[in-house]
Amino acid sequence: MSDLNAFRTEVRDWMNAHLTGKFADLKFRGGSGEGDVLPELRKEWEQELARGRWTCPGWPAEHGGRGLSVAEQIVFQEEYSRAGGPGRMGHIGEGLMGPTLIAFGTDEQKKRFLPGILSGTEFWAQGYSEPSAGSDFGNIKTRAKLDPETGDWLVSGQKVWTSLAHLSDWIFVVARCEEGSVGRNGLIFLLMPLEQAGVEIHPIKQISGGCEFNSVFFDGARAKAEHVVGQPGDGWKIAMALLGFERGISTLGQQMSFQQELDLIVEISKENGKDRSPAVRQRLARAWIGLRAMRYLAMRVLSDEPSAETRREALAYKYHWSNWHRELGRLAMDVLGMDANVVSDDPRRERLQQMFLFARADTIYGGTNEIQLNIIAEQGLGMPREPRGKL
Amino acid sequence: MILEFTPDQQMIREEAERFLREKSSSEAIRRIADGGATHDAELWNSISRELGWCAMAIPEEFGGLGLGATEVAILMELAGARLACAPFWSTVCLAAPLIEAAGTEDAKITYLGAIAAGEMAVTVAYADLSVADPSATVAVQASACANGYRLDGTVAHVIDLAVADVVLVPARLDDGTVALFALARDAGQTIAPLNTIDATRPVATLGLAGVEVAAECRIDAGGVSADQFASVLRHANLGLAAEQIGAAQGVFDLTLAYISDRVQFGRTIASFQAIKHRCAKLVVDIAEARSLVFGAAAAMSGTDTAESALEIAGARVLASQLQFLAAEEAIQLHGGVGFTWEYDPHLYFKRAQASAALLGSAEAQMDDIAAAMFGDGGRP
């Protein structure tokens, strides 16, 4: 424990020493609903983190990380968020792409791609969802065709909800490589540069007015032969493993941000008198309880050797935090009252308004509420699977 | 910090679960609940004397095992799952913490020793367990008399009074001090069992009409302070919350078994998404409440007692809401038979309502949390 405390102090000191000067503008920015804010400065910040060896601290040392334990990673996330560390531009590379390459990549792929992620110089986007493959991820229609001359793959189709594609350098794409295959069979996992002929990126303006998401159109775009991860046909396996690498440690940082939002609501309610409403007080108390439970829930499910019970609880985690956060958005607006509807440059109000709007996405991305409940029922409780339709 | 059970805790859990599945079966509960008995004497004997559950959290110097809140919560959760009809909560989560907090050294040796040895069921006659400071609502008056003290007053709802070998009675002295008396069953008090809707936990009224007790019956070391009461309530609330989430899991397990067998329209009703989603939501609520219960248990030994009290209050809020929800979903998902006496959901449903009112409502707990969040000391 005392080692953890020393580590905590180390992170805190580093953040306080480095989140200064031009980077001070980044404090508490780039979070929920602000993914596209100050991108260039945030990329520089990634490089600043890299100089301190704070990118990818959970990766094994042999691959350039610090090999931190789960407990240390939690401490890092907490202190990063407490200091106001901005939303991480490198999150997809660090949390998803890197661990996938470490597990499944060739030595050449690791040598080519891990350094760019570690140094905060190459940024990744995730090419999973498609217009007709949202919850039904197996319904992927984007095609990859082998170019017999080069061994490269030529990709055509459309990906959607691609976070920060317009600010990224590379994208990993799951595409169908076997003609006539359906479902989870016949998929391929490809690494592709976004800067090339045959790739077009169209931002999607979202409910909150910002543009974090994109549609990415591929028209004969090229993935090099050596940029296939695993074998053609392994796409589903690798895509699922990739999702498994996100164990939720980064959500501990997210919880610090939730706490700040809750604190803001309490502060505002004291100022505008809503703190005298018994109903508002009860809702705020319930929010506090939910957040505290969320913290302990994360600590239970992050265990290295989960029991059947904690595995089931892990399935419940996303549903819990996303619905809690969505409800907090409503509570924030109810506390703001008439002001909630008025756009202003008051940063507190702006933050809560953005949160209110963006939280509607929380219960949709990464598996909708309805899909989460299916997963809990089927995988957690062993209840019968949903029948598939024929359309 | 990672929250997981140690191998020892895991073992306690598995053994207790196995034991209770056998000894506190539906048939066993019904023998008590339908038979008008106060408790399952055989079960209590096994728990207290043979398995040593009551010794779990008693300090080693008084004959206990010196384990912590987590072990007690593990046992309470499992006892709740089977609606175990035994005075375990009152003895371990209410009476023992009170003696430990406020008792004299002699009293600790006597009573904690007897509890640890499994020889004594003890309860506490709080006048109003729903307020943060029970010392303010003590309903019994104590005045000095020739042989000791004379006690006067009535405590309406005392859990497990009809079972307990000893009842602890906080009573106010003429100078305002709250003293604590330990009364054996034959001390002259009246015990009037109440006919309760929840038949799995006995409640009785304690009557003290000028009962004279010897000076040795007074067991506090210079009065019971509000802080001491508060510490007792933390233990009592945490144990109750653990029991409540256990009961929720217990009735949920019954429900899952039923809907997996019940066939309508040529398929099990468990295959309908309307039902799957309701069950999945219960998993979310169970995960939330269980996490707070065991998180609060792990944090309880820390130094920040105010923070700990809030976490435990929060655990009670979640556990009360969850226990009721799980029981009402059980009735609904059992359909018609869920409304019958024959099937078990009603036992859990009634217990849920009775437990929710114990030690104060969820609303009162949330009022306390809000008061702490706003730092304004209470209700607007």
Side-chain angles (χ1 to χ4, degrees), chain B residues 8 31 37 82 109 118 164 170 190 257 264 275 340:
Chain B
D8 283 351
R31 271 200 304 277
R82 314 297 310 190
I109 291 166
T190 58
Q264 290 284 273
I275 289 179
T340 65

Side-chain angles (χ1 to χ4, degrees), chain A residues 383-387, chain B residues 259 267-273 275-276:
Chain A
M383 297 175 85
R385 292 189 168 275
E386 286 302 301
Chain B
I259 62 176
R267 50 199 275 206
T268 65
I269 63 171
S271 69
F272 290 101
Q273 199 177 41
I275 289 179
K276 285 164 68 179

